[in-house]
Amino acid sequence: MTIHVDPDRLRDDFDALAAIGATADGGIERLALTPAHLEARAWFLRRASEAGLETVVDAAGNHSAILPSTAPDAPTLLLGSHLDSVPRGGRFDGALGVLAALEVLRVVQAERLELPVALEAIDFSDEEGTLVGLLGSLAAAGALDADMLAAPRGGRKALLAALARAGLDEARLIDARRDPRTLAGYLELHIEQGPVLEQAGVQIGVVTAIVGSRSLELVFEGASAHAGTTPMAARRDAGLGAARFVDRVHETVSSGFPGTVATVGSIELEPGAFNVVPGRARVLLEFRAGTAAELDRLEQRLLDEARSVAAAQRLELQARPVGRWEPTALDPSVRAVIAAAAASLGLSTQELASGAGHDAQALAQVTRAGMIFVPSVGGVSHQPGELTPWQDCVNGADVLLQSALGLALGGPT
Ligand SMILES: [Zn+2]
């Protein structure tokens, strides 16, 4: 007989967690290592303890519930995601994966299944990148490098303040590294955050890869000038350069780079006044693609466009790389286990790549890793209106359970 997660217990947890950091518009805000996030993590450990599971917090602040194996020297199968959120985020992103992982441990425990692996439900620190991005999972994978900490996306000040709030020591973050020989794999259930599964009418997504991304800061430098006395033809308008560049980015990617995306997410003009021609424009560009070769090609082409726009407006251009995530292929054998688990539950599946980054990309560097997606209504995510129908959440948790059993019983390598 197939065992299942308890949908009511999972729902109770989901509602209790969504109340922590809840916003008036139905979303949540739990920025990494802020009081709301720390409260959610404490709540998670309490729920784990109440279930009789072991709990542990590592040197990177990752919070775990553990169901040990009776087998000696059993490796650990990690089931995880994250409890932090973006500003004004939704209730499902990350939270579903952590809660489903906890539920899997409770079911396996209640069924008294003897597995040759320990099961660990893990909540990784700072997945969303308020501070560093994948801070906890990179630390666990032994891939947290000094440069990321020296120049974190959220700034040094924010990082140090957050670590202090959480009682973490920057020098010890790397101690969270897990010896790959102690790991039996990593599974993550997550909402898709895009429209593919819903539009296809498919219940479960089997993730093939996580796209890579690069971020660049571009500065167009012209000359500030009086907005009333400087003729149009005499201007070196950095704002105009930035605006033309946005248009070129969209055109270039739409027409020549299918399956990739690029975004100018921010433009800051200086000095920034009604009556001054902007002399400086700081542009934040990010682009994503499934392979490193495609990322290289895209980067080259977008920089060419920026140079051409700058030359046409007589602007100086500086480009500085500020972030880089390599594309990550997920393990084919884990994908097969997930697909088989879904099939055994009578659920439809589709393979797809993830356009968003996830903790799985860090873990995939050191252990076999796989991801399970469930549909996002309207593809909406990172917003309060984020929604996955409850039955889809339960389906995903059941697939996580069956996949965990499939990996555990299929051998711990
Ligand atoms: Zn997430």
Side-chain angles (χ1 to χ4, degrees):
M1 201 188 78
T2 308
I3 59 170
H4 289 274
V5 300
D6 179 337
D8 298 331
R9 185 168 56 189
L10 187 58
R11 181 81 223 194
D12 287 347
D13 279 355
F14 185 85
D15 291 339
L17 176 60
I20 303 173
T23 55
D25 47 15
I28 55 123
E29 181 155 302
R30 293 193 297 257
L31 305 184
L33 308 187
T34 57
H37 178 225
L38 296 175
E39 187 185 337
R41 310 187 96 176
W43 171 89
F44 167 61
L45 287 198
R46 270 202 313 280
R47 288 297 283 155
S49 296
E50 285 161 13
L53 298 165
E54 292 176 12
T55 62
V56 67
V57 179
D58 72 15
N62 298 318
H63 282 46
S64 294
I66 298 168
L67 180 62
S69 168
T70 51
D73 299 322
T76 297
L77 178 60
L78 296 171
L79 313 175
S81 202
H82 60 97
L83 295 180
D84 68 322
S85 80
V86 296
R88 300 172 54 79
R91 294 169 297 156
F92 294 81
D93 179 359
L96 177 63
V98 174
L99 296 178
L102 173 63
E103 177 60 18
V104 166
L105 267 59
R106 287 187 300 219
V107 172
V108 170
Q109 182 187 46
E111 296 287 333
R112 300 181 187 282
L113 299 180
E114 301 226 339
L115 300 180
V117 301
L119 293 180
E120 178 173 339
I122 184 163
D123 156 36
F124 289 110
S125 298
D126 182 40
E127 191 274 344
E128 295 289 5
T130 306
L131 304 171
V132 175
L134 305 187
L135 173 63
S137 49
L138 286 169
L144 189 63
D145 72 57
D147 293 351
M148 291 173 181
L149 296 173
R153 346 190 318 161
R156 280 290 292 169
K157 210 173 133 191
L159 175 62
L160 294 178
L163 293 177
R165 262 196 314 272
L168 297 171
D169 176 353
E170 184 182 4
R172 286 199 54 231
L173 294 173
I174 55 171
D175 294 350
R177 176 183 176 272
R178 308 289 283 256
D179 181 343
R181 288 169 303 184
T182 66
L183 299 177
Y186 176 72
L187 287 172
E188 180 167 356
L189 169 65
H190 205 283
I191 57 168
E192 181 201 332
Q193 305 180 277
V196 174
L197 294 175
E198 187 192 39
Q199 284 177 6
V202 169
Q203 291 161 302
I204 296 292
V206 181
V207 183
T208 53
I210 297 167
V211 301
S213 74
R214 292 184 194 168
S215 330
L216 298 175
E217 180 196 68
L218 303 176
V219 176
F220 292 96
E221 198 90 44
S224 298
H226 193 294
T229 60
T230 314
M232 299 309 275
R235 298 179 178 201
R236 294 174 60 217
D237 183 339
L240 180 59
R244 294 240 156 107
F245 178 64
V246 172
D247 191 40
R248 294 274 189 98
V249 168
H250 192 89
E251 273 307 306
T252 301
V253 175
S254 305
S255 62
F257 291 84
T260 73
V261 289
T263 307
V264 171
S266 171
I267 299 175
E268 279 173 25
L269 300 181
E270 289 176 27
F274 280 114
N275 53 3
V276 185
V277 175
R280 189 172 193 269
R282 179 171 168 265
V283 172
L284 302 186
L285 169 70
E286 191 219 56
F287 47 96
R288 305 185 186 208
T291 66
E294 190 82 331
L295 284 169
D296 287 341
R297 219 161 63 78
L298 197 49
E299 178 166 348
Q300 209 44 59
R301 187 57 199 286
L302 294 176
L303 284 174
D304 285 347
E305 295 295 337
R307 280 189 281 265
S308 122
V309 162
Q313 307 303 321
R314 294 177 294 126
L315 305 171
E316 305 291 326
L317 174 71
Q318 291 151 30
R320 185 169 74 92
V322 288
R324 187 182 174 102
W325 296 108
E326 299 306 328
T328 308
L330 295 177
D331 188 273
S333 67
V334 178
R335 279 152 57 182
V337 166
I338 293 169
S344 76
L345 294 160
L347 301 169
S348 55
T349 61
Q350 175 176 330
E351 292 206 326
L352 76 171
S354 173
H358 295 290
D359 292 305
Q361 73 201 61
L363 274 300
Q365 298 175 31
V366 290
T367 191
R368 54 183 180 162
M371 286 194 80
I372 300 155
F373 273 178
V374 286
S376 292
V377 172
V380 170
S381 186
H382 283 186
Q383 297 173 53
E386 191 174 85
L387 178 68
T388 294
W390 186 246
Q391 187 56 49
D392 286 326
C393 295
V394 174
N395 290 345
D398 269 331
V399 172
L400 181 69
L401 170 62
Q402 293 303 325
S403 302
L405 295 177
L407 282 183
L409 299 169
T413 52

